[in-house]
Each structure stands twice: as C-alpha cells, then as structure tokens.
C-alpha cells in the first residue's frame, strides 16, 4: 500500500481547506446558539435550532435522502443484497426512498436528543406525505442557503450527540 507524503503540496492544501471549512462551520453553528463554542445536542439546543431553522429555511424547499441508512435503511437489502426489482418497486410506492424528491411542508414540534428534528414532507411523484428525520435529508438545490442550513444541522446533530 502506498504511503501518503505529508509534505505533498496537494495534500497539504486539501487538509488546510478541510480544516478551514470545519472552522467556518463551527463558527456558523456557535453563532446560531450565541455561544463561543458549539453546544451538545440537548432538548434545549434542539428547541433553539428548530426556532432558527423555522426563521431561516427558505420555502419552497425540495429535499431528498442523504443515503440508504436511517429511515431509509429498508432499501439497503435491495441495493446491496437481494435484487428483487419488482418487490423493491412495490415497497417504494408505500415507503419513503432516499432517491425520492420531497417538498418540505413543515417542521414537527415534537423532538428529542436521540431522534432530533423531524419534518413533514410530500413526495413529489405521488403527493404521499411522510414524517422524516431532518438528519437524513438534504436540500436538492446546491449550492443554496437551504443546503448549507441543512448540512450544518446534520453535522451538528450527528457529532453533538457524542
């Protein structure tokens, strides 16, 4: 296996940019809470984040799944294991898929530090409604303010529960 040269200018630049992006994201997150550092996920901080998103998320907003995990985990066996296209297509009619496009409708008022914030969405293809965890969704339009807002939430929620 090839070892990485820590003096390679390309690698140094990649790490420098990644570090800068993380610092900028941490500052955006700390600013949301009006604190010097990013707080952990609690009921109180979730309530603050919910208020912030309600004020700043631009509607209309189209969403899609991040990956075939979490609330979309039912798809993994069809994608990585058994390949039953007809069965998969039937289940996709009833269940939300990470490949679907959803219209954001509203934030749910109930939340907890384990599950995070949830949203009510409407699948664009058939108008079926679902309540999905915000941490499993991303904005379809990139780059956009909504994409940044939702990405920051996901990073904070996933990392802040530790």
């Amino acid at each position: 296996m090839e070892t990485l040269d820590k003096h390679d200018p390309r690698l140094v630049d990649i790490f420098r940019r990644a570090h800068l992006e993380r610092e900028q994201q941490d500052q955006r997150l700390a600013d949301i809470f009006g604190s010097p550092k990013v707080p952990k996920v609690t009921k109180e901080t979730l309530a603050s984040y919910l208020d912030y998103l309600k004020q700043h998320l631009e509607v209309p907003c189209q969403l899609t799944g991040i990956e075939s995990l979490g609330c979309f985990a039912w798809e993994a066996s069809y994608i990585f294991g058994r390949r039953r296209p007809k069965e998969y297509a039937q289940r996709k009619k009833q269940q939300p898929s990470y490949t679907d496009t959803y219209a954001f409708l509203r934030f749910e008022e109930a939340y907890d530090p384990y599950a995070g914030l949830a949203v009510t969405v409407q699948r664009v293809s058939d108008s079926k409604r679902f309540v999905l965890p915000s941490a499993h969704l991303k904005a379809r339009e990139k780059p956009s303010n909504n994409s940044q807002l939702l990405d920051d939430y996901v990073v904070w929620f996933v990392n802040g529960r530790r």
Side-chain angles (χ1 to χ4, degrees), residues 114-128:
Y114 178 75
L117 303 177
V119 293
T120 300
V121 296
Q122 185 172 17
R123 186 164 44 199
V124 172
S125 64
D126 63 4
S127 299
K128 197 169 273 219

